[in-house]
Amino acid sequence: MAGAAACLAETRVGQVVMPGEALILASHGEAEGERLRLTTSGSQKGRLVCGPGLRRGADGLLVTKCGLLRYRGHSAQTGSGSGSSSGGTYWVDSQQKRYVPVKGDHVIGIVTAKAGDIFKLDVGGSDHASLSYLAFEGATKRNRPNVQVGDLIYGQFIVANKDMEPEMVCIDSSGRANGMGIIGQDGFLFKVSLGLIRKLLAPDCEIIWDLGQLYPFELVLGMNGRIWVKAKTIQQTLIIANVLEACEHMTAEQRKCVIVKLLEN
C-alpha cells in the first residue's frame, strides 16, 4: 500500500486503513493548497493531534498499523464523526494485544523490584517502567510510601518514547493523587484486549452502568489492557470479571439478557 494514491483523511473516517497509506488533511484557511499543520503550539482550536497508528508527514498523515480510522473534534464526544479543518484528533482503532507505552496513559503496573529510590514496574510493554518513591502524594525522604514487590500500582506515564525507559508517577500536575497510587491487596486482576479498554472508557459506554445493577463493585481500568475489580464476595468478583471479558464480543441486547438472567438467580 506504500505506493497507493493519497486521499483526504476526512473521507476515510470510520473505514479500514492499511499501513503505508497516505492521508491528506483538509485545507485550512483561505489559501488554496494550505494544509492544517500538525503542531503542538498555537491555539487549541486549530491544532490537530496525531494519535496512535499514525505518523506525521510533511503534508498529512501516514498510517503505520491496520485498523479503523477515527476522528474526534475538540467539541465532539465520540470518535466516529467526520473530520474538519478546525483541528481535533485522528487515530487508528485496532485490536492490538501488545501495549506500547504512551505519554499520558493511565496504566496498572506490577512492582517487580526495588532499585535504590526507584521501583521497577511491569506494565506489559517491552521494557519495565520506573517509578520514584517521591512520585506519590505526600511522599518525602522521611515519609516514604510502603510499596512492596508484587503490589499493584495505578499511575500515569510522564515519559514514554522508544529511546528512553518509561517513567510513571502517581500524582497529577497539582501534586494530588487523584485516584492514583497503590491498589488494595484484595480484588482480582485480569487482562483484556486494548480495544475493550477503549470501549469501556468511552463516554457513551453503558457496560459499567449495566453491571452496577448486579452488585456494587470497585473497578480500575488500565490503558495497558489490565483491569482490577473487587466486589463484596469472591463469587461476585468473578461474575463481574467474566461478564466484562465477554462484553467484547456481545451486542448490547445480548449483554442485557445476560444481566437479566443473573439478576433472576
Side-chain angles (χ1 to χ4, degrees):
M1 297 296 296
C7 58
L8 282 175
E10 61 183 23
T11 63
R12 298 300 306 275
V13 174
Q15 299 180 10
V16 176
V17 292
M18 301 293 291
E21 287 191 39
L23 303 175
I24 301 176
L25 299 173
S27 58
H28 184 60
E30 297 180 356
E32 184 178 357
E34 184 181 356
R35 303 299 179 187
L36 181 60
R37 295 300 178 185
L38 293 165
T39 60
T40 56
S41 60
S43 63
Q44 180 72 13
K45 182 178 179 181
R47 189 179 70 171
L48 187 69
V49 179
C50 180
L54 298 171
R55 182 184 301 170
R56 303 183 181 191
D59 296 324
L61 306 172
L62 181 66
V63 181
T64 58
K65 66 180 180 181
C66 178
L68 295 175
L69 182 66
R70 301 294 190 186
Y71 172 82
R72 179 174 59 197
H74 292 307
S75 60
Q77 297 297 324
T78 63
S80 59
S82 60
S84 70
S85 60
S86 60
T89 303
Y90 280 101
W91 76 95
V92 176
D93 190 3
S94 62
Q95 292 295 329
Q96 182 178 341
K97 292 186 177 181
R98 182 180 178 183
Y99 176 70
V100 178
V102 177
K103 182 179 179 181
D105 275 2
H106 289 77
V107 299
I108 298 176
I110 304 174
V111 180
T112 58
K114 291 183 180 180
D117 297 336
I118 301 296
F119 302 107
K120 295 294 184 179
L121 279 74
D122 174 20
V123 293
S126 57
D127 293 326
H128 281 62
S130 62
L131 174 66
S132 172
Y133 75 94
L134 293 174
F136 292 84
E137 182 179 3
T140 62
K141 290 185 177 180
R142 291 188 176 183
N143 183 28
R144 297 196 176 201
N146 184 20
V147 179
Q148 304 297 328
V149 174
D151 285 350
L152 301 179
I153 303 291
Y154 180 65
Q156 181 182 16
F157 283 118
I158 58 171
V159 175
N161 60 61
K162 62 181 181 180
D163 300 318
M164 297 179 63
E165 181 184 55
E167 183 178 346
M168 287 176 56
V169 294
C170 293
I171 52 177
D172 57 16
S173 58
S174 303
R176 299 293 183 180
N178 197 17
M180 294 180 284
I182 303 175
I183 302 177
Q185 296 293 333
D186 299 329
F188 180 58
L189 178 71
F190 60 101
K191 186 173 177 59
V192 298
S193 68
L194 303 184
L196 178 58
I197 291 292
R198 290 192 293 267
K199 183 178 180 180
L200 294 173
L201 290 174
D204 57 346
C205 180
E206 299 179 352
I207 296 176
I208 298 177
W209 186 86
D210 290 341
L211 289 176
Q213 301 180 50
L214 286 175
Y215 320 107
F217 63 93
E218 300 176 47
L219 186 69
V220 180
L221 301 174
M223 286 299 296
N224 55 342
R226 291 174 178 168
I227 298 179
W228 178 87
V229 62
K230 177 185 176 183
K232 188 175 181 180
T233 65
I234 297 178
Q235 181 182 11
Q236 293 178 0
T237 300
L238 293 177
I239 290 175
I240 295 294
N242 289 333
V243 174
L244 281 173
E245 286 184 301
C247 282
E248 183 175 7
H249 306 291
M250 287 195 302
T251 63
E253 292 76 13
Q254 292 173 335
R255 183 180 70 248
K256 292 182 183 299
C257 290
V258 170
I259 293 177
V260 169
K261 291 181 179 179
L262 291 173
L263 287 172
E264 293 175 351
N265 295 336

